[in-house]
Amino acid sequence: MGTLFFFHPPIPRLPLPSVSKPIAFPPISCLRNNGDVTGFHEHKSEGNKNVDMSQTISNDGRNVKQDNIWQLFKEAQHNILYLNEQRLGAIEELEKTNREKHSLLKKIKKLEAEKQAGAGKDNLSTCSELLLRIDAMVLSSMISPGEASELRGLVINHKVSLADVFNVISRKKDPELLGQLRHFSHGHKKNGFHIVHICTEMTPMVPRGSVASYVTGISRALQRKGHLVEVILPKYASLNLNEVQGLREVNVEAYSYFNGQLHGNRIWTGVVYGIGVTLIEPKYFSSFFNREMIYGYPDDFERFSYFCRASLDYIVKCGKQPDVLHLHNWETAIVGPLFWDIFVQQGLGGTKILFTCHGFNSQGIEQPDKLALCGLDPLRLHRPDRLQDNTNTQLVNILKGGIIYSNKVVIMSSIYPKHIVIRNLSRELEPTLNEHRDKLVIAPYGLDRSTWDPSIDYLLPENFNAENINGKAVCKVSLLQQLGLSEHSSSILVGFIFPEGRDPDVKRLKEVILNAKQQDVQFVFLGTSERSVVNQTLESLQKELKDDNLKLFPTYDEALLHLVFAGSDIILCQSLVDPTDEIPLIALRYGAAPIALTSDASTNRVIPFERNFINQDHEATMYSKLINSSFINMSLSLAVDELRTNPAVWKRKIMQAMAHDLSWDGECYDLHFAAYSAIKNM
């Protein structure tokens, strides 16, 4: 690609504002040697009266001149101020143009990189779309479930070659597509797992929380490693469909059981980031997912148990035989009992269950008789070793059922090891988790490496990595220049990214800033959304503190966001344990120390038992050991002192942290692959 040249627009010449009214000058007069005024007609008046009149005229003339000069001065001053305002506005526009230039350059480079490596992405999308079309053929009785299984094997085993042959499948009708599939030879052994997620969130379609980013992140990582992943979601009315390719409604009704009878569902299919997605839309119970919120309704159990049963009925109808059904939180945990009590004998004998739990605050506590709605036997399941709640024995616990009826349970916890999760965070499920301890796996969250990688980030003035961190110093200088802060070599730059969707602890923030004033620390605060509340908070904070070493930017700026991570020595974090917060991960990736806003002895009530036990727990994640050993108990003042007194040790610590693969393809993928392999070999 040729070199791009960007020209800065010249500052426009602005016309001076016109004077509001004409300035009247006195008539020009000539004085004779004797001092008389000469006009067009010579006339000499008599007496002192004429002399006084001449003197008065002379004084009036001088006054008029002085008034006019002062008026001209004021007009000139006004023009200078006006031109200065225009100059500042033009400079601001120029800076905005430069930021847009960097953003455009990044997008161009990213598109170029995707084009060079685009074959894999296109192949995944094509294969996913082919599999969804095979599902539609089964639903419409065009092919049998047995033939569908063979055709799926064909697609899974020949991803690359099939993508080349069927790259225009969206234009082909089902009979034509089926004919081509039947004539395409195959015979290679299947490699990789076939995984079907039954879930209630997925980025970017339902970007609500940690489940959404996790489903998309781990699914993309699995597909990059050669596995096939599909996702089944409810068709919410609030879905974001901007990133869905080839969205289409399957022209057939799929029936599922609920409350004693069969009900029809509309089925929609599409591809998101190369992942095949199926959306289930109830016809009779259309109000279940046609609501403003995803969760938080009195009939949530009815809504999601309907979806779970419909998902299993759809899988059986299509003749799918995945290696793993992957479930998430209590909302889809009921799939476990449904699978083993009803569906395992319907062609799913080779399928196993993996259950991911993202927390224990919500467990799905319900009346036992509601289990009958989706076809389960309440009397059989309302027992202590099954779904009976450990505390309120009159009720059933759906999350408990997901743990008991799964072959493996992955607990997402970036910081806490297994024994801390069981003992301190599981609420009343500690006995259940202890009983099933051997099948529990602790896994950390990850990052999208295509977005957050300083070695290829095109928004940075110079790239860097764990082996060569020199580019970080260049980024710091560039950031300081852009912020208008002093570039003194001893200054330490601290960034704070206002977490999206959460209100920052402003009181604690002010305390930290005031304590750091004596340590030659510079701050940059950056908003990540257009929320007026955050903007007002930032503006109020700036007015109150009035510190030249503090810069606040309430409006989201992608280029500046990347530069803040790359140029900061320390990133203040609202929390190091919040699973929905990627800021600590990004900070480590970009060579900045993540320091918790509340990480000191007076405010931290959770960390002390971490310090005592983390080094003894072999079941903690590598990320957990990294954070706990280096950063989690460190306050900002301690971090500043260590950075200034032991810069070589600090640099080595940062480079070691950067060397960890914190993306979904790193430790998170390895732990999931091991879990899938273990249950497949059971």
Side-chain angles (χ1 to χ4, degrees), residues 48 255 327 514:
N48 294 335
Y255 289 91
L327 319 178
L514 293 173

Side-chain angles (χ1 to χ4, degrees), residues 392-679:
N392 192 336
T393 58
Q394 302 302 312
L395 302 175
V396 291
N397 187 315
I398 308 304
L399 186 66
K400 177 182 175 180
I403 295 168
I404 292 173
Y405 280 84
S406 298
N407 300 103
K408 278 283 184 183
V409 178
V410 174
I411 299 176
M412 298 303 294
S413 175
S414 295
I415 298 297
Y416 300 114
K418 185 188 292 187
H419 77 275
I420 295 296
V421 171
I422 295 174
R423 184 189 309 166
N424 298 84
L425 302 176
S426 61
R427 296 184 179 271
E428 291 77 24
L429 284 177
E430 182 178 351
T432 303
L433 293 175
N434 270 323
E435 185 178 351
H436 295 269
R437 187 186 184 97
D438 291 343
K439 65 182 183 183
L440 303 184
V441 177
I442 303 295
Y445 290 90
L447 278 177
D448 178 4
R449 64 178 182 179
S450 65
T451 302
W452 300 108
D453 186 349
S455 66
I456 59 172
D457 193 330
Y458 296 109
L459 289 174
L460 303 183
E462 187 168 324
N463 296 120
F464 58 94
N465 54 35
E467 287 73 35
N468 183 0
I469 202 173
N470 294 334
K472 185 170 177 65
V474 177
C475 293
K476 182 175 180 179
V477 172
S478 177
L479 177 59
L480 291 172
Q481 291 174 345
Q482 187 167 328
L483 299 175
L485 291 171
S486 167
E487 298 174 34
H488 197 277
S489 59
S490 65
S491 294
I492 292 174
L493 184 58
V494 177
F496 181 80
I497 316 299
F498 273 65
E500 187 172 4
R502 294 185 299 278
D503 294 326
D505 186 348
V506 178
K507 181 180 178 182
R508 176 61 184 159
L509 203 54
K510 285 191 289 188
E511 291 176 1
V512 169
I513 295 170
L514 293 173
N515 289 337
K517 267 192 172 185
Q518 308 302 320
Q519 296 178 285
D520 192 21
V521 175
Q522 298 169 315
F523 289 91
V524 53
F525 290 176
L526 187 65
T528 56
S529 70
E530 300 297 331
R531 292 191 303 148
S532 60
V533 175
V534 171
N535 296 349
Q536 293 169 5
T537 301
L538 280 171
E539 291 168 359
S540 300
L541 195 60
Q542 189 168 32
K543 290 178 181 177
E544 183 177 350
L545 295 173
K546 295 179 181 178
D547 190 343
D548 292 337
N549 283 326
L550 175 65
K551 298 293 180 181
L552 300 101
F553 295 86
T555 306
Y556 175 77
D557 184 322
E558 183 181 5
L560 183 57
L561 177 64
H562 283 243
L563 191 57
V564 167
F565 278 115
S568 297
D569 300 297
I570 295 169
I571 295 290
L572 271 180
C573 303
Q574 187 84 344
S575 168
L576 294 183
V577 298
D578 185 348
T580 64
D581 192 356
E582 293 183 334
I583 290 175
L585 289 171
I586 302 172
L588 287 172
R589 184 75 164 153
Y590 279 67
I595 302 298
L597 194 59
T598 58
S599 190
D600 61 33
S602 63
T603 57
N604 201 328
R605 299 182 179 180
V606 179
I607 303 308
F609 61 71
E610 284 293 313
R611 170 184 276 176
N612 295 334
F613 294 106
I614 186 66
N615 294 326
Q616 305 172 18
D617 197 330
H618 65 279
E619 295 173 321
T621 65
M622 292 302 297
Y623 175 78
S624 173
K625 293 175 182 177
L626 168 66
I627 288 291
N628 280 277
S629 63
S630 300
F631 303 110
I632 206 162
N633 288 298
M634 186 177 289
S635 66
L636 178 61
S637 59
L638 288 175
V640 170
D641 287 341
E642 184 173 334
L643 197 160
R644 188 164 283 139
T645 56
N646 298 299
V649 175
W650 182 271
K651 182 178 179 181
R652 185 164 59 250
K653 181 189 295 186
I654 292 297
M655 293 177 71
Q656 289 172 350
M658 289 181 67
H660 288 269
D661 186 355
L662 302 176
S663 70
W664 295 108
D665 301 72
E667 184 180 11
C668 186
Y669 167 80
D670 293 339
L671 290 168
H672 279 76
F673 176 73
Y676 292 139
S677 301
I679 62 178

Side-chain angles (χ1 to χ4, degrees), residues 43-245:
H43 177 73
K44 195 167 185 178
S45 303
E46 296 179 356
N48 294 335
K49 181 177 181 181
N50 291 335
V51 175
D52 293 341
M53 183 178 294
S54 176
Q55 184 67 33
T56 301
I57 292 173
S58 178
N59 291 336
D60 289 345
R62 280 196 298 270
N63 291 336
V64 169
K65 286 181 181 179
Q66 290 175 356
D67 289 343
N68 290 333
I69 291 171
W70 181 247
Q71 179 67 25
L72 286 172
F73 175 76
K74 289 196 294 185
E75 293 289 346
Q77 188 180 42
H78 173 75
N79 290 336
I80 291 170
L81 292 173
Y82 177 79
L83 288 173
N84 191 47
E85 289 177 0
Q86 296 300 312
R87 180 182 68 84
L88 293 174
I91 291 173
E92 187 177 339
E93 286 296 320
L94 188 59
E95 291 175 348
K96 181 180 178 182
T97 301
N98 283 333
R99 291 195 297 268
E100 291 174 350
K101 177 193 75 173
H102 289 302
S103 180
L104 178 62
L105 182 61
K106 182 199 173 187
K107 290 177 181 177
I108 292 172
K109 293 285 189 180
K110 189 174 182 180
L111 288 172
E112 190 177 53
E114 287 179 353
K115 183 178 180 182
Q116 292 174 356
K121 181 179 178 182
D122 291 342
N123 292 341
L124 291 175
S125 298
T126 302
C127 291
S128 295
E129 191 173 349
L130 271 170
L131 291 168
L132 294 172
R133 292 288 294 274
I134 292 170
D135 293 348
M137 293 176 193
V138 179
L139 292 174
S140 61
S141 301
M142 182 177 292
I143 58 177
S144 67
E147 184 177 4
S149 180
E150 293 178 4
L151 293 176
R152 288 192 191 94
L154 164 66
V155 173
I156 294 169
N157 300 334
H158 294 267
K159 295 183 180 71
V160 176
S161 52
L162 270 173
D164 294 336
V165 175
F166 300 101
N167 58 358
V168 289
I169 61 170
S170 59
R171 304 175 189 172
K172 300 178 185 292
K173 294 185 177 180
D174 284 348
E176 180 186 3
L177 182 61
L178 178 59
Q180 286 186 278
L181 280 169
R182 283 171 170 168
H183 285 88
F184 193 85
S185 61
H186 63 93
H188 294 291
K189 185 179 179 181
K190 173 185 174 182
N191 53 15
F193 296 116
H194 179 194
I195 300 148
V196 176
H197 290 272
I198 301 178
C199 54
T200 56
E201 301 176 23
M202 180 187 183
T203 301
M205 301 176 71
V206 195
R208 186 182 183 279
S210 58
V211 177
S213 59
Y214 164 77
V215 169
T216 302
I218 194 61
S219 297
R220 296 181 76 181
L222 286 162
Q223 293 218 141
R224 281 191 288 266
K225 303 284 188 177
H227 307 283
L228 176 68
V229 183
E230 297 181 73
V231 174
I232 303 178
L233 285 165
K235 191 175 186 302
Y236 303 103
S238 57
L239 282 177
N240 175 12
L241 302 175
N242 293 337
E243 298 292 333
V244 182
Q245 301 174 358

